[in-house]
């Protein structure tokens, strides 16, 4: 039992730099919880959600952007992780083991169909990104 929803806790969204930035968008939590519920029904087993990236304070985001993008212009990031409305996550069936991970493409397809013209939805090799941005929606893969 999480303290935000059945499966999710505030702690999991906290910025990893140690600054204690842990306020998180309620809509984001709801969509993630709904996604967990969907796959619980689909696979008739317990689903575990691991948040691999939640909130980022501006300083920590700068560090990450500079680390992954050599051409990054300082303070030019529009990452939704800064606004406490984005999460990178993985879902597992039954047990948290590599072979039990639900494919990121499968999760992407579920979100893509369920929320047309809304949000930021992306997939990477072994995780997904979801954010509740307002205005223009965004989609990406790999
Ligand atoms: Zn921080
Ligand atoms: Zn992300």
């Amino acid at each position: 039992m999480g303290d935000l929803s059945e499966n999710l806790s505030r702690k999991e969204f906290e910025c990893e730099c140690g600054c204690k930035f842990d306020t998180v968008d309620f809509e984001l939590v709801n969509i993630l919880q709904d996604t967990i519920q969907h796959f619980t029904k689909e696979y008739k087993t317990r689903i575990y959600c691991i948040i691999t990236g939640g909130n980022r304070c501006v300083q920590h985001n700068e560090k990450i952007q500079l680390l992954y993008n050599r051409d990054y212009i300082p303070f030019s990031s529009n990452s939704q992780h800064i606004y406490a409305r984005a999460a990178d996550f993985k879902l597992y069936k039954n047990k948290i083991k590599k072979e039990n991970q639900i494919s990121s493409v499968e999760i992407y397809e579920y979100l893509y169909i369920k929320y047309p013209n809304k949000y930021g939805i992306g997939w990477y090799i072994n995780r997904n990104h979801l954010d509740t941005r307002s205005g223009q929606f965004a989609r990406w893969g790999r």
Side-chain angles (χ1 to χ4, degrees):
M1 185 71 199
D3 61 16
L4 289 172
S5 71
E6 196 178 328
N7 296 78
L8 300 162
S9 294
R10 190 174 293 282
K11 188 87 192 142
E12 301 173 86
F13 293 89
E14 196 177 295
C15 178
E16 58 185 5
C17 89
C19 67
K20 305 279 181 202
F21 173 29
D22 69 357
T23 302
V24 61
D25 183 57
F26 190 56
E27 197 176 349
L28 177 69
V29 172
N30 279 339
I31 300 165
L32 283 171
Q33 184 62 48
D34 170 84
T35 306
I36 295 166
Q37 236 91 289
H38 167 80
F39 285 104
T40 303
K41 276 188 210 141
E42 175 105 351
Y43 288 109
K44 300 182 175 62
T45 185
R46 185 162 179 176
I47 300 295
Y48 291 88
C49 177
I50 302 291
I51 307 289
T52 60
N55 294 353
R56 287 180 207 151
C57 63
V58 172
Q59 262 179 322
H60 186 57
N61 187 57
E62 285 301 296
K63 216 167 129 183
I64 287 176
Q65 300 300 335
L66 287 164
L67 204 62
Y68 293 104
N69 179 3
R70 314 161 96 225
D71 304 321
Y72 179 68
I73 300 158
F75 300 101
S76 68
S77 170
N78 191 31
S79 168
Q80 298 295 305
H81 290 277
I82 303 172
Y83 308 114
R85 56 181 184 217
D88 302 323
F89 66 99
K90 303 178 180 195
L91 298 181
Y92 294 87
K93 297 175 256 196
N94 191 34
K95 266 200 176 104
I96 302 172
K97 289 200 292 189
K98 199 169 187 227
E99 61 266 38
N100 290 9
Q101 192 179 344
I102 299 173
S103 118
S104 54
V105 173
E106 191 177 336
I107 295 167
Y108 176 83
E109 281 175 353
Y110 169 70
L111 292 168
Y112 181 97
I113 290 164
K114 175 130 192 188
Y115 305 103
N117 315 322
K118 254 179 136 175
Y119 306 142
I121 302 169
W123 64 271
Y124 303 96
I125 283 295
N126 69 349
R127 67 194 154 88
N128 289 82
H129 168 104
L130 172 66
D131 69 65
T132 53
R133 71 186 64 202
S134 54
Q136 268 292 32
F137 66 91
R139 299 289 180 265
W140 65 92
R142 214 180 120 90

